[in-house]
C-alpha cells in the first residue's frame, strides 16, 4: 500500500468539501483491495441533519459501485480547509467501516500531510465492536 499516495488523494479532495455551516472541511480517500481509490468529502445541508461525513461519502460511493473489499482510508481536514491537526473519524463513520471491513486489518490513516500521519487499525478506534457477524451468534 502506498500510504503517501492515498493521503495525497485525500488532501487533493479537500477543496471539494461542501461545509458552508461548520466551515470544517474534511476529505477522505478509501483504498479498495484491488487498488482502486474512492474519494469522499463532507457534504452539509441547510437542514443540518442530512449532512454526511467525508468517510461515509467515500464508503457509499464505493459500495454503491459494487465494492466490498477495503484495505485502508486516509482522512484529513480542518477549519476552512486548513489542516491544523489530525482529523479522526466520528463514531458513526467508524461503525460504517465496521460493516464492511475487518477490524484487525483495516487501516485508518489520519494525516496532517503526506509525511505526517498517524495510523490505526479499525479495532484500535472501535474496540469491542458490534458487526454483521454478531447477528449470527
Ligand atoms: N466530519 C467529517 O466529515 N468527518 C469526520 O471524521 C469528522 C466530522 C464533518 C461533519 C461536519 O460536516 C463537519 O465535519 C463538522 O463536524
Amino acid at each position: 500500500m502506498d500510504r503517501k499516495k492515498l493521503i495525497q488523494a485525500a488532501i487533493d479532495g479537500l477543496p471539494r468539501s461542501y461545509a458552508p455551516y461548520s466551515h470544517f472541511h474534511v476529505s477522505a480517500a478509501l483504498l479498495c483491495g484491488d487498488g482502486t481509490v474512492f474519494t469522499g468529502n463532507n457534504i452539509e445541508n441547510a437542514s443540518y441533519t442530512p449532512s454526511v461525513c467525508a468517510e461515509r461519502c467515500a464508503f457509499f460511493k464505493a459500495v454503491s459501485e459494487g465494492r466490498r473489499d477495503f484495505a485502508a482510508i486516509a482522512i484529513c481536514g480542518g477549519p476552512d480547509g486548513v489542516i491544523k491537526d489530525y482529523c479522526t473519524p466520528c463514531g458513526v463513520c467508524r461503525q460504517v467501516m465496521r460493516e464492511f471491513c475487518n477490524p484487525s486489518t483495516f487501516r485508518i490513516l489520519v494525516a496532517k500531510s503526506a509525511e505526517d500521519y498517524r495510523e490505526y487499525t479499525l479495532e484500535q478506534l472501535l474496540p469491542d465492536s458490534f458487526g454483521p457477524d454478531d447477528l449470527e451468534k
Side-chain angles (χ1 to χ4, degrees), residues 17-19 22-27 41-44 51-56 75 87-90 93:
S17 161
Y18 178 75
S22 74
H23 304 287
F24 194 88
H25 297 230
V26 185
S27 179
N41 46 261
N42 58 332
I43 303 171
E44 298 183 346
S51 301
V52 70
C53 291
E55 298 90 325
R56 272 176 290 150
I75 307 161
C87 180
T88 52
C90 81
C93 289

